Amino acid sequence: MENMNELYSDIILEHNQCLENKRSLAEADIHEHGHNPSCGDDITLQLKFDGDIIKDAAYTGQGCAISQASADIMIDLIKGKSVSEALQLVKLFLDMIKREVTDEDVLEELEDAIALKNISNMPARVKCAVLAWHTLQAALNKK
């Protein structure tokens, strides 16, 4: 089990340092701001659509490693997905964090986001992990 925690930590660090998705998105169709007042995490999510498909996504802002990694992982996951597929991933991620879905086979759909599964053991960090996902949900509900 310890090795899995190390692997998850490595995934979070890797995504926190990745800058590919941390940029302004020219000609974004939707801009959605998300803020966590309890710790100061702050992101602006930008989405570009091709019909119902998320053609590109990016974010700007600052926050702790968990919030930044979560945003990066989420963007990797939703590019190329339809609005309904992306909303389903948001639901699955939030259900995982709330421990309502624990089946590893089901959670595989979340790919690297499964690295954030154990955040539910650290209540103070849950808001960090879900910030980008709640921001995405708000943005997609406007589409």
Side-chain angles (χ1 to χ4, degrees):
M1 190 59 167
E2 190 58 43
N3 289 346
M4 284 305 278
N5 289 336
E6 284 176 32
L7 172 66
Y8 288 166
S9 296
D10 288 347
I11 290 171
I12 291 168
L13 287 172
E14 183 183 314
H15 280 281
N16 177 49
Q17 293 164 355
C18 182
L19 299 177
E20 183 183 327
N21 295 322
K22 191 171 184 176
R23 59 190 162 83
S24 282
L25 187 59
E27 302 169 23
D29 297 309
I30 294 180
H31 296 259
E32 188 69 33
H33 181 248
H35 181 68
N36 180 355
S38 65
C39 67
D41 291 342
D42 192 273
I43 68 163
T44 298
L45 183 64
Q46 300 167 320
L47 302 171
K48 180 133 185 71
F49 293 91
D50 181 1
D52 190 42
I53 303 296
I54 300 168
K55 185 177 178 183
D56 200 4
Y59 76 101
T60 56
Q62 67 278 332
C64 68
I66 290 170
S67 74
Q68 302 293 284
S70 187
D72 187 69
I73 290 168
M74 180 192 75
I75 288 172
D76 283 347
L77 204 53
I78 64 167
K79 282 184 197 171
K81 300 275 195 296
S82 69
V83 169
S84 61
E85 287 171 325
L87 284 169
Q88 191 57 42
L89 288 167
V90 169
K91 182 181 180 334
L92 182 57
F93 180 82
L94 297 175
D95 286 350
M96 174 186 75
I97 295 296
K98 293 185 280 188
R99 293 191 188 139
E100 289 173 9
V101 175
T102 55
D103 184 329
E104 296 288 332
D105 292 337
V106 175
L107 295 176
E108 275 181 15
E109 196 177 339
L110 291 172
E111 297 175 15
D112 279 0
I114 204 168
L116 295 160
K117 180 179 169 189
N118 292 330
I119 294 295
S120 57
N121 298 330
M122 299 177 272
R125 305 316 300 259
V126 166
K127 286 182 180 174
C128 308
V130 301
L131 176 63
W133 299 81
H134 282 303
T135 305
L136 173 64
Q137 191 172 41
L140 293 177
N141 285 332
K142 291 179 177 176
K143 175 94 171 101

